[in-house]
Amino acid sequence: MFLFPGVPAAQQAPESTSHSQNLASFEQALINRYEWGQEQPRTWSIPERLQAHNVPGVALAIIEKNQVVYAKGYGERSALSVSSVDQNTLFSVGSVSKVANATLLLKLVDEGTLKLDTDVNNYLSSWKVPDSRYTRKHPVTLRHILSHTAGFNVHGFPDFLPGETLPDTLDTLNGKAPAKHRAVRVRFTPGSTMDYSGGGITVSQLVASTITKTNYVSLAKDKLFLPLEMSRSTFENPLPESISNVAFAHNDNGKPVALPRGYEAMPEMAASGLWTSASDLAKLVIAINNSYQSKNGFLSQALTKDMLSREQNSWYGLGPRINGEGDSFVFHHGGANNSYRAWIEGHPETGNGVVILTNGSNGHFVHQEIRNAIAQTRKWPVPSDGGFEEPELKN
């Protein structure tokens, strides 16, 4: 079932048998990072590593020269039934949502609807960034928010189980029940340093919906998902139970949780609420790569280069984290909701990239090992241990 009827899923181009076998060599090349000290490190298959980490399933897409060259699922959508994962299976992707949100907001900047360096209170009406000694001379801007230098608190949000009442955006920002956290407030001078904040990203969500007079779910669909043909993507929470081919939630023992529905809800949509597939997220990575390389991309080339440049005092550009230079230049972001772990990575200079989605709390071990195996077998010039150096930030 497609979330957007009439929008077809992209089809993978046929490959020669030899090329396909060469490309799939990473499937048997996973190495447990805890065994690197052995003289002859053992290699594992993806199903073996899923079992070792108690993760039921994983879906991935490999991108080379801005084309999906490999997309596949492994394991099961649920530990309770035989229901195979494929490249179109929906997963909760946690903070990878922030890259989709940033792309949406930058599209509004490209269209002239928003400006990156304007006080966000100029766009807001139902809620305002509270006046404080930090903001009087340094108002919060979208540039600050997307680079996590706005000074906001609230790192992340708890998920909501079936039957729990969900907060709306104002509840979230005001820290009012049924929200489960403190109010979102600025606690240092915007631009002076970095502190990762899902609370700040929720402010950007309100900016987008307020200025366009459109609810965020519809806005993302119209401005981002439909243009990029991301037919298996939505910010709707809870995910409607009528949607098919969904990866269900599992804890670190691989046991099903969030029953009877089988998955949590993440009402803080821009920060952590995206449901999507490996094939769809690959389209987003490709769109960002293409926009960096071409003047005719989804975003303007100049704005994409701004997006993919580290902001002062931050590890981030405008949305993704940024590392490396030249062919080793990488944008990336991880995602971690209660029962799901996700990873996306793009190489703007070469057009390469990867998407890895899992439906278990230990999924970060799986996506690290798969990513390393892909990088090693495809000879990508990026750190093979998954480690990215971070700059020293001001206090």
Side-chain angles (χ1 to χ4, degrees):
M1 174 182 177
F2 295 122
L3 299 183
F4 309 146
V7 181
Q11 297 296 314
Q12 186 175 331
E15 299 179 292
S16 68
T17 301
S18 60
H19 177 70
S20 179
Q21 289 174 343
N22 176 264
L23 183 59
S25 60
F26 76 92
E27 291 181 312
Q28 302 291 328
L30 279 70
I31 300 175
N32 182 348
R33 64 194 182 108
Y34 297 110
E35 297 185 272
W36 274 105
Q38 295 182 3
E39 186 174 341
Q40 294 293 329
R42 177 186 169 184
T43 57
W44 309 70
S45 68
I46 291 175
E48 286 176 318
R49 298 314 294 158
L50 288 174
Q51 184 176 16
H53 292 303
N54 296 318
V55 176
V58 61
L60 62 90
I62 301 174
I63 302 158
E64 294 191 339
K65 297 180 180 179
N66 290 328
Q67 297 288 328
V68 175
V69 295
Y70 194 88
K72 188 175 177 180
Y74 305 81
E76 304 299 329
R77 292 189 285 115
S78 171
L80 295 176
S81 64
V82 178
S83 50
S84 298
V85 171
D86 61 38
Q87 67 267 33
N88 295 313
T89 299
L90 260 67
F91 290 78
S92 167
V93 298
S95 288
V96 171
S97 307
K98 294 177 174 69
V99 179
N101 173 67
T103 308
L104 170 62
L105 285 166
L106 293 177
K107 188 65 175 177
L108 296 177
V109 171
D110 258 341
E111 294 175 350
T113 305
L114 293 172
K115 294 183 179 179
L116 281 171
D117 300 305
T118 293
D119 183 346
V120 295
N121 275 346
N122 293 343
Y123 299 125
L124 296 168
S125 56
S126 59
W127 182 92
K128 299 270 189 179
V129 177
D131 180 57
S132 74
R133 61 190 175 95
Y134 301 116
T135 61
R136 283 169 196 152
K137 293 183 179 181
H138 302 276
V140 172
T141 68
L142 284 175
R143 185 182 299 277
H144 292 139
I145 291 172
L146 296 180
S147 62
H148 297 285
T149 60
F152 285 114
N153 59 346
V154 187
H155 181 95
F157 302 100
D159 297 347
F160 286 78
L161 293 171
E164 288 190 288
T165 303
L166 304 185
D168 61 21
T169 305
L170 294 183
D171 292 333
T172 297
L173 293 172
N174 290 322
K176 178 182 176 183
K180 302 176 181 179
H181 56 271
R182 295 175 295 163
V184 175
R185 295 290 184 267
V186 174
R187 57 188 184 85
F188 59 78
T189 302
S192 62
T193 189
M194 187 202 91
D195 194 6
Y196 186 91
S197 174
I201 299 301
T202 304
V203 176
S204 75
Q205 174 186 318
L206 185 62
V207 166
S209 59
T210 300
I211 201 67
T212 62
K213 299 180 180 179
T214 307
N215 73 73
Y216 188 78
V217 172
S218 298
L219 180 65
K221 175 181 175 181
D222 293 341
K223 291 289 186 180
L224 183 66
F225 300 145
L226 281 173
L228 295 182
E229 296 189 352
M230 295 174 66
S231 59
R232 295 281 293 166
S233 299
T234 184
F235 278 107
E236 189 171 0
N237 278 274
L239 185 70
E241 294 184 52
S242 59
I243 302 298
S244 61
N245 195 7
V246 176
F248 293 94
H250 299 82
N251 63 19
D252 56 7
N253 292 316
K255 302 300 183 183
V257 293
L259 299 173
R261 186 175 63 212
Y263 47 84
E264 298 91 348
M266 286 62 67
E268 304 85 9
M269 295 174 282
S272 58
L274 179 60
W275 289 89
T276 188
S277 69
S279 288
D280 265 21
L281 268 183
K283 295 173 186 177
L284 180 63
V285 173
I286 290 169
I288 296 171
N289 277 346
N290 271 330
S291 296
Y292 179 88
Q293 294 174 352
S294 170
K295 294 181 179 179
N296 300 310
F298 178 72
L299 298 174
S300 66
Q301 188 176 41
L303 189 57
T304 306
K305 291 191 174 184
D306 201 2
M307 177 189 196
L308 301 183
S309 299
R310 271 184 171 160
E311 286 296 315
Q312 185 176 9
N313 298 326
S314 181
W315 302 341
Y316 290 80
L318 302 177
R321 290 174 71 152
I322 308 299
N323 288 87
E325 298 177 349
D327 286 351
S328 295
F329 173 33
V330 177
F331 71 86
H332 58 100
H333 212 294
N337 283 339
N338 286 359
S339 308
Y340 299 86
R341 300 292 186 266
W343 178 262
I344 65 167
E345 180 179 315
H347 309 173
E349 296 287 352
T350 62
N352 295 341
V354 66
V355 173
I356 308 171
L357 312 180
T358 68
N359 61 339
S361 297
N362 287 336
H364 51 293
F365 297 120
V366 174
H367 73 58
Q368 288 168 0
E369 292 173 11
I370 291 177
R371 179 210 171 267
N372 292 346
I374 293 171
Q376 291 160 12
T377 56
R378 304 309 296 165
K379 300 186 180 348
W380 286 353
V382 294
S384 62
D385 62 355
F388 294 108
E389 292 183 3
E390 306 298 0
E392 185 174 343
L393 302 177
K394 293 181 180 179
N395 294 321

